[in-house]
Amino acid sequence: MHNHALTSSGMLTGDPQSGTVISAANLVKTYGDAAAVDGISFSVPAGESFGLLGPNGAGKSTTMKMIGGVTRRTAGQLSIMGLDPDTHGPEVRAHLGVVPQQDNLDEELRVRDNLLVYGRYFGLPMSYLKPKADELLEFAQLTDKARSKVDALSGGMKRRLTIARSLINEPRILLLDEPTTGLDPQARHILWDRLFRLKEQGVTLILTTHYMDEAEQLCDRLIVVDKGRIMAEGSPAQLIREHSTREVVELRFGSERNATIGAQLEGIGERLEVLPDRVLVYAHDGESALEQVSARGLRPLTSLVRRSSLEDVFLRLTGRSLVD
Amino acid sequence: MTEESLVGAGRRAHGPAVAAAKARRWGAFYYAEQVLRVMKGYTWSILMYSVGQPVAYLFAMGVGLASLVDTGNAAIGGVSYLVFIAPALLVSAAVMTAANEFTFPVMAGFKWRRTYFGPHASPLTPGQIAAGHIMAVTLRLVLQSALYFAAVVLFGASPSEWGWAGILVATLTGLAFGLPLMAYSASITEDKGQFALVMRFIVMPLFLFSGTFFPLDNLPPAVRWVGWISPIWHGTELGRVLSFGYGEPPLLTVLHVAVLAGMAVTGWVLTRRRFALRMGQ
Ligand SMILES: Nc1ncnc2c1ncn2[C@@H]1O[C@H](COP(=O)(O)OP(=O)(O)OP(=O)(O)O)[C@@H](O)[C@H]1O
Ligand SMILES: [Mg+2]
C-alpha cells in the first residue's frame, strides 16, 4: 500500500500509517510496592534506531518486555504498529524480533534446530526456514556448529545464536536488550555492521546497552533512564552538547589523593567530578584547563584531554559511572 | 557476508499479519512440534522404557506371581491373574510417564532452562505453550500405551475385542493425573525437592492402593477412599470393563469416565491460568 500521508507532524500521532511504530505514554510497571518503570513516555518513528541508556535496575529491560508484549503494564498507554500488546499480543509479537537480556535458547536442541523451531512459531514453512537458517548461521559465524547441541556453545556463541534467531522472521522492528554483552570485539563490530545494514533497509531498532560507543554508533536518538524515569532525551550529539562541556580533562593522582586534591582544583573549568580512580575537569578548552592545573603546582600521575562522550552525560545525569 | 545473503537470496518471510493469524490458529501445534523434537533426542530411552517396562512387569506379575495367586477367583472377575492386572499395569505406566513429563520439564521451562520464554516472545500465547506441551505428551502416552497393549496381547492377556480401547483409557488417566500436577508444577518458583515428594507420597501410594494388584474391596474400609479419589483406580476399573467385561454397575462405569474427564479438564483450566499468570508478570 502507498503511504500518502507521511508528514513530519504525522510522525507523533501514534498512527502506523503516518510512520510511528512505537508510542508509549506514562508507562508504569510496579512489582509489589516498587516501581520498576515509573511513567515513561516516548515514541519511535519507523526506521529510527532508538536507545535506552541507564544504570543497573533503571527499568530498561522491563520497558523492553512491555514493548515486546511479554509483560503486562501496570498503567499507561502503549501501542506498537497501532496495536495494544495487552489485547493483541500475538499480532504485536509477530512484528518483532527479540533479543532478551538473558538467553533462552533451547539447550537440548541442536544449534540449527533452534532457528527452525523458532521460525515455526511464526508459521513459517520449512522451505523458507531451511535456507534462511543456513544464511543466519553464516551471519552469526556458527555454520560449523550447526549440528552441535546448544549446551556445547560458549557464552558469546549463544549470544550470537540468540541474535540470529531474532531475525528468522525478517522483522521490521528489532528489540535488542544488551545485544553485545559477552561478545568479543570482533563479533561486536560484525554485529554493528549488520545492524547498520538492517537500519539501511528501514528496520526500526530499539536497543539497550551499557557500551557508550555502541550507543553513539548505533542510536539516532536515546533516552537516559534512571529509577524508572527519563532523565534526558535526544541524539547523542545533542545530549553531549546539553549535559556536558566540549572537552574533558582526566587527571589521576593515585587512588589515595584523588579526593583530597579535588578541593584544590576548585574553579578550574566549568565543573569537577571526583571519582575514586580519577578526577574529571569539564571545560570548553581542555588544554588551557590542564595548564591551570599545572599553574597551581599540581602534578597528576597521568593526564588526558578528550572530547566529551555519552559516558560524561551519563555520569552527570545519574551520578554513576558506567565503567566500574 | 555478501549483500545478497543479507537480503535473502531465496524466498521472503510472510508478513506479520499472516504470521499472527497462523499462530493464533496453529500455535499449540507449533509448540508441540518443538517438544516432540526435544523428545526425539531421547528416542531410545523412551522406547526402552515403553517396551522394556511392560515386558518385565507382565512377566514378573503375570507369570511369576500368578502361579501363586491363580486363578479363576470370582473376586477378580473369574479371569486369570494376568488378565486381571494387565489393564492396571497399562494405566499405571501411563500415569508414571505423565508424572515425569508434567513435572521436571515444566520446571525447566519456567526456571531451569527458561525454554518457555523463547516462544513466549514469539506470537504464541502462554495458553498455547501449555497446550502444545500437553499435546506432545499426549502423543507420547498414546504411543507408549499402544506398545504396552501390544505386549499385553502377546501375553494373551486381553480377551475382549474392546481391549484396545484401554490405550485411550490409559492416556486419559495419564492426563487426569498429569494435568492437575502440571498446574502445580507451574506454580512452583523454588525447587525444594517437591517432585521427589510427589513421586514418593502420591504416585507410589496411588499405584499400590488403587485396586491395581487386588480388588479395592480387599482393603480395609478405612483406606478404600484412596482408591475412590485415585485416577488410577478409575482408569484401571474402566480398563477392566473393556478388557474382560469386569462386572460392575453401568453407572459406575459412567462415573469412571466422568471423574477422569473432570480431573483432566480441571487440570487443564488451572494449568492454562497458571501459565498465563506466570508469563505475564
Ligand atoms: N519479575 C520481577 N519481580 C520483581 N522485581 C523485578 C522483576 N523484574 C524486574 N524487577 C525490578 O525492577 C527494576 C528494574 O529492573 P530491570 O531489569 O528493568 O532493570 P534494567 O534497567 O534492565 O537493569 P540492568 O542494566 O541490570 O539489566 C529492578 O529494581 C528489578 O529488581
Ligand atoms: Mg536489563
PDB file of all heavy atoms in Angstrom, chain A residues 163-184:
ATOM      1  N   ILE A 163      20.809 -13.776  18.659  1.00  0.00           N
ATOM      2  CA  ILE A 163      20.631 -12.660  17.724  1.00  0.00           C
ATOM      3  C   ILE A 163      20.175 -13.184  16.359  1.00  0.00           C
ATOM      4  O   ILE A 163      19.255 -12.649  15.752  1.00  0.00           O
ATOM      5  CB  ILE A 163      21.934 -11.848  17.608  1.00  0.00           C
ATOM      6  CG1 ILE A 163      22.218 -11.132  18.940  1.00  0.00           C
ATOM      7  CG2 ILE A 163      21.844 -10.842  16.479  1.00  0.00           C
ATOM      8  CD1 ILE A 163      23.649 -10.660  19.108  1.00  0.00           C
ATOM      9  N   ALA A 164      20.787 -14.265  15.916  1.00  0.00           N
ATOM     10  CA  ALA A 164      20.378 -14.863  14.639  1.00  0.00           C
ATOM     11  C   ALA A 164      18.915 -15.291  14.711  1.00  0.00           C
ATOM     12  O   ALA A 164      18.133 -15.066  13.778  1.00  0.00           O
ATOM     13  CB  ALA A 164      21.265 -16.070  14.317  1.00  0.00           C
ATOM     14  N   ARG A 165      18.529 -15.875  15.828  1.00  0.00           N
ATOM     15  CA  ARG A 165      17.160 -16.347  15.998  1.00  0.00           C
ATOM     16  C   ARG A 165      16.161 -15.200  15.868  1.00  0.00           C
ATOM     17  O   ARG A 165      15.071 -15.364  15.333  1.00  0.00           O
ATOM     18  CB  ARG A 165      17.044 -17.013  17.373  1.00  0.00           C
ATOM     19  CG  ARG A 165      15.739 -17.739  17.588  1.00  0.00           C
ATOM     20  CD  ARG A 165      15.659 -18.325  18.987  1.00  0.00           C
ATOM     21  NE  ARG A 165      15.486 -17.280  19.991  1.00  0.00           N
ATOM     22  CZ  ARG A 165      15.274 -17.510  21.280  1.00  0.00           C
ATOM     23  NH1 ARG A 165      15.217 -18.749  21.732  1.00  0.00           N
ATOM     24  NH2 ARG A 165      15.130 -16.518  22.123  1.00  0.00           N
ATOM     25  N   SER A 166      16.545 -14.030  16.380  1.00  0.00           N
ATOM     26  CA  SER A 166      15.609 -12.909  16.366  1.00  0.00           C
ATOM     27  C   SER A 166      15.330 -12.420  14.940  1.00  0.00           C
ATOM     28  O   SER A 166      14.386 -11.681  14.715  1.00  0.00           O
ATOM     29  CB  SER A 166      16.162 -11.750  17.195  1.00  0.00           C
ATOM     30  OG  SER A 166      17.211 -11.108  16.488  1.00  0.00           O
ATOM     31  N   LEU A 167      16.159 -12.847  13.991  1.00  0.00           N
ATOM     32  CA  LEU A 167      15.997 -12.361  12.622  1.00  0.00           C
ATOM     33  C   LEU A 167      15.262 -13.355  11.733  1.00  0.00           C
ATOM     34  O   LEU A 167      15.032 -13.090  10.556  1.00  0.00           O
ATOM     35  CB  LEU A 167      17.374 -12.063  12.020  1.00  0.00           C
ATOM     36  CG  LEU A 167      18.163 -10.951  12.727  1.00  0.00           C
ATOM     37  CD1 LEU A 167      19.597 -10.902  12.214  1.00  0.00           C
ATOM     38  CD2 LEU A 167      17.473  -9.606  12.533  1.00  0.00           C
ATOM     39  N   ILE A 168      14.875 -14.485  12.291  1.00  0.00           N
ATOM     40  CA  ILE A 168      14.346 -15.581  11.474  1.00  0.00           C
ATOM     41  C   ILE A 168      13.065 -15.182  10.735  1.00  0.00           C
ATOM     42  O   ILE A 168      12.792 -15.656   9.654  1.00  0.00           O
ATOM     43  CB  ILE A 168      14.121 -16.856  12.343  1.00  0.00           C
ATOM     44  CG1 ILE A 168      13.898 -18.094  11.478  1.00  0.00           C
ATOM     45  CG2 ILE A 168      12.936 -16.697  13.286  1.00  0.00           C
ATOM     46  CD1 ILE A 168      15.146 -18.694  10.944  1.00  0.00           C
ATOM     47  N   ASN A 169      12.271 -14.286  11.333  1.00  0.00           N
ATOM     48  CA  ASN A 169      11.005 -13.878  10.707  1.00  0.00           C
ATOM     49  C   ASN A 169      11.138 -12.583   9.918  1.00  0.00           C
ATOM     50  O   ASN A 169      10.137 -11.966   9.573  1.00  0.00           O
ATOM     51  CB  ASN A 169       9.914 -13.744  11.779  1.00  0.00           C
ATOM     52  CG  ASN A 169      10.299 -12.737  12.850  1.00  0.00           C
ATOM     53  OD1 ASN A 169      11.463 -12.641  13.228  1.00  0.00           O
ATOM     54  ND2 ASN A 169       9.336 -11.989  13.361  1.00  0.00           N
ATOM     55  N   GLU A 170      12.365 -12.158   9.653  1.00  0.00           N
ATOM     56  CA  GLU A 170      12.624 -10.900   8.941  1.00  0.00           C
ATOM     57  C   GLU A 170      11.819  -9.746   9.525  1.00  0.00           C
ATOM     58  O   GLU A 170      11.042  -9.094   8.829  1.00  0.00           O
ATOM     59  CB  GLU A 170      12.347 -11.069   7.449  1.00  0.00           C
ATOM     60  CG  GLU A 170      13.229 -12.148   6.841  1.00  0.00           C
ATOM     61  CD  GLU A 170      13.088 -12.265   5.329  1.00  0.00           C
ATOM     62  OE1 GLU A 170      12.012 -11.928   4.798  1.00  0.00           O
ATOM     63  OE2 GLU A 170      14.060 -12.713   4.693  1.00  0.00           O
ATOM     64  N   PRO A 171      12.005  -9.478  10.824  1.00  0.00           N
ATOM     65  CA  PRO A 171      11.172  -8.470  11.475  1.00  0.00           C
ATOM     66  C   PRO A 171      11.510  -7.057  11.001  1.00  0.00           C
ATOM     67  O   PRO A 171      12.647  -6.792  10.608  1.00  0.00           O
ATOM     68  CB  PRO A 171      11.540  -8.633  12.953  1.00  0.00           C
ATOM     69  CG  PRO A 171      12.936  -9.151  12.942  1.00  0.00           C
ATOM     70  CD  PRO A 171      13.017 -10.048  11.737  1.00  0.00           C
ATOM     71  N   ARG A 172      10.546  -6.178  11.078  1.00  0.00           N
ATOM     72  CA  ARG A 172      10.752  -4.766  10.742  1.00  0.00           C
ATOM     73  C   ARG A 172      11.054  -3.956  12.001  1.00  0.00           C
ATOM     74  O   ARG A 172      11.356  -2.776  11.920  1.00  0.00           O
ATOM     75  CB  ARG A 172       9.526  -4.180  10.025  1.00  0.00           C
ATOM     76  CG  ARG A 172       9.134  -4.926   8.760  1.00  0.00           C
ATOM     77  CD  ARG A 172      10.167  -4.790   7.671  1.00  0.00           C
ATOM     78  NE  ARG A 172      10.317  -3.405   7.241  1.00  0.00           N
ATOM     79  CZ  ARG A 172      11.369  -2.948   6.584  1.00  0.00           C
ATOM     80  NH1 ARG A 172      12.375  -3.756   6.299  1.00  0.00           N
ATOM     81  NH2 ARG A 172      11.440  -1.685   6.217  1.00  0.00           N
ATOM     82  N   ILE A 173      10.873  -4.583  13.156  1.00  0.00           N
ATOM     83  CA  ILE A 173      11.228  -3.935  14.413  1.00  0.00           C
ATOM     84  C   ILE A 173      12.074  -4.927  15.211  1.00  0.00           C
ATOM     85  O   ILE A 173      11.678  -6.076  15.396  1.00  0.00           O
ATOM     86  CB  ILE A 173       9.968  -3.596  15.243  1.00  0.00           C
ATOM     87  CG1 ILE A 173       8.988  -2.764  14.432  1.00  0.00           C
ATOM     88  CG2 ILE A 173      10.359  -2.856  16.524  1.00  0.00           C
ATOM     89  CD1 ILE A 173       7.653  -2.560  15.126  1.00  0.00           C
ATOM     90  N   LEU A 174      13.231  -4.473  15.662  1.00  0.00           N
ATOM     91  CA  LEU A 174      14.108  -5.345  16.445  1.00  0.00           C
ATOM     92  C   LEU A 174      14.263  -4.785  17.853  1.00  0.00           C
ATOM     93  O   LEU A 174      14.585  -3.607  18.020  1.00  0.00           O
ATOM     94  CB  LEU A 174      15.495  -5.395  15.806  1.00  0.00           C
ATOM     95  CG  LEU A 174      15.891  -6.552  14.917  1.00  0.00           C
ATOM     96  CD1 LEU A 174      17.339  -6.393  14.496  1.00  0.00           C
ATOM     97  CD2 LEU A 174      15.698  -7.881  15.625  1.00  0.00           C
ATOM     98  N   LEU A 175      14.012  -5.628  18.849  1.00  0.00           N
ATOM     99  CA  LEU A 175      14.243  -5.236  20.241  1.00  0.00           C
ATOM    100  C   LEU A 175      15.509  -5.938  20.728  1.00  0.00           C
ATOM    101  O   LEU A 175      15.553  -7.166  20.782  1.00  0.00           O
ATOM    102  CB  LEU A 175      13.066  -5.663  21.136  1.00  0.00           C
ATOM    103  CG  LEU A 175      11.674  -5.191  20.764  1.00  0.00           C
ATOM    104  CD1 LEU A 175      10.666  -5.671  21.815  1.00  0.00           C
ATOM    105  CD2 LEU A 175      11.620  -3.683  20.654  1.00  0.00           C
ATOM    106  N   LEU A 176      16.505  -5.141  21.072  1.00  0.00           N
ATOM    107  CA  LEU A 176      17.794  -5.738  21.445  1.00  0.00           C
ATOM    108  C   LEU A 176      18.163  -5.293  22.852  1.00  0.00           C
ATOM    109  O   LEU A 176      18.519  -4.135  23.069  1.00  0.00           O
ATOM    110  CB  LEU A 176      18.867  -5.275  20.458  1.00  0.00           C
ATOM    111  CG  LEU A 176      18.580  -5.559  18.974  1.00  0.00           C
ATOM    112  CD1 LEU A 176      19.126  -4.456  18.081  1.00  0.00           C
ATOM    113  CD2 LEU A 176      19.173  -6.895  18.563  1.00  0.00           C
ATOM    114  N   ASP A 177      18.064  -6.208  23.805  1.00  0.00           N
ATOM    115  CA  ASP A 177      18.378  -5.860  25.193  1.00  0.00           C
ATOM    116  C   ASP A 177      19.817  -6.286  25.488  1.00  0.00           C
ATOM    117  O   ASP A 177      20.099  -7.461  25.683  1.00  0.00           O
ATOM    118  CB  ASP A 177      17.391  -6.559  26.143  1.00  0.00           C
ATOM    119  CG  ASP A 177      17.395  -5.929  27.528  1.00  0.00           C
ATOM    120  OD1 ASP A 177      18.288  -5.107  27.816  1.00  0.00           O
ATOM    121  OD2 ASP A 177      16.498  -6.269  28.335  1.00  0.00           O
ATOM    122  N   GLU A 178      20.694  -5.312  25.493  1.00  0.00           N
ATOM    123  CA  GLU A 178      22.135  -5.559  25.665  1.00  0.00           C
ATOM    124  C   GLU A 178      22.637  -6.654  24.730  1.00  0.00           C
ATOM    125  O   GLU A 178      23.180  -7.662  25.176  1.00  0.00           O
ATOM    126  CB  GLU A 178      22.439  -5.917  27.121  1.00  0.00           C
ATOM    127  CG  GLU A 178      22.093  -4.763  28.045  1.00  0.00           C
ATOM    128  CD  GLU A 178      22.515  -5.010  29.478  1.00  0.00           C
ATOM    129  OE1 GLU A 178      23.464  -5.783  29.688  1.00  0.00           O
ATOM    130  OE2 GLU A 178      21.901  -4.423  30.366  1.00  0.00           O
ATOM    131  N   PRO A 179      22.494  -6.402  23.425  1.00  0.00           N
ATOM    132  CA  PRO A 179      22.798  -7.464  22.459  1.00  0.00           C
ATOM    133  C   PRO A 179      24.245  -7.913  22.457  1.00  0.00           C
ATOM    134  O   PRO A 179      24.520  -9.076  22.204  1.00  0.00           O
ATOM    135  CB  PRO A 179      22.421  -6.828  21.110  1.00  0.00           C
ATOM    136  CG  PRO A 179      22.499  -5.358  21.335  1.00  0.00           C
ATOM    137  CD  PRO A 179      22.061  -5.156  22.752  1.00  0.00           C
ATOM    138  N   THR A 180      25.173  -6.996  22.741  1.00  0.00           N
ATOM    139  CA  THR A 180      26.579  -7.377  22.559  1.00  0.00           C
ATOM    140  C   THR A 180      27.286  -7.731  23.858  1.00  0.00           C
ATOM    141  O   THR A 180      28.491  -7.948  23.860  1.00  0.00           O
ATOM    142  CB  THR A 180      27.368  -6.260  21.853  1.00  0.00           C
ATOM    143  OG1 THR A 180      27.320  -5.093  22.667  1.00  0.00           O
ATOM    144  CG2 THR A 180      26.794  -5.953  20.495  1.00  0.00           C
ATOM    145  N   THR A 181      26.533  -7.797  24.961  1.00  0.00           N
ATOM    146  CA  THR A 181      27.164  -8.205  26.214  1.00  0.00           C
ATOM    147  C   THR A 181      27.689  -9.626  26.057  1.00  0.00           C
ATOM    148  O   THR A 181      26.955 -10.524  25.649  1.00  0.00           O
ATOM    149  CB  THR A 181      26.156  -8.130  27.369  1.00  0.00           C
ATOM    150  OG1 THR A 181      25.716  -6.784  27.469  1.00  0.00           O
ATOM    151  CG2 THR A 181      26.784  -8.559  28.681  1.00  0.00           C
ATOM    152  N   GLY A 182      28.947  -9.814  26.352  1.00  0.00           N
ATOM    153  CA  GLY A 182      29.527 -11.157  26.242  1.00  0.00           C
ATOM    154  C   GLY A 182      30.161 -11.444  24.896  1.00  0.00           C
ATOM    155  O   GLY A 182      30.719 -12.508  24.698  1.00  0.00           O
ATOM    156  N   LEU A 183      30.061 -10.487  23.956  1.00  0.00           N
ATOM    157  CA  LEU A 183      30.693 -10.720  22.657  1.00  0.00           C
ATOM    158  C   LEU A 183      32.112 -10.166  22.643  1.00  0.00           C
ATOM    159  O   LEU A 183      32.390  -9.149  23.277  1.00  0.00           O
ATOM    160  CB  LEU A 183      29.894 -10.030  21.551  1.00  0.00           C
ATOM    161  CG  LEU A 183      28.485 -10.530  21.303  1.00  0.00           C
ATOM    162  CD1 LEU A 183      27.940  -9.940  20.011  1.00  0.00           C
ATOM    163  CD2 LEU A 183      28.456 -12.052  21.215  1.00  0.00           C
ATOM    164  N   ASP A 184      32.986 -10.814  21.902  1.00  0.00           N
ATOM    165  CA  ASP A 184      34.337 -10.271  21.774  1.00  0.00           C
ATOM    166  C   ASP A 184      34.294  -9.098  20.789  1.00  0.00           C
ATOM    167  O   ASP A 184      33.319  -8.924  20.062  1.00  0.00           O
ATOM    168  CB  ASP A 184      35.336 -11.363  21.391  1.00  0.00           C
ATOM    169  CG  ASP A 184      35.053 -11.976  20.037  1.00  0.00           C
ATOM    170  OD1 ASP A 184      34.574 -11.253  19.143  1.00  0.00           O
ATOM    171  OD2 ASP A 184      35.307 -13.180  19.876  1.00  0.00           O
TER     172      ASP A 184
END
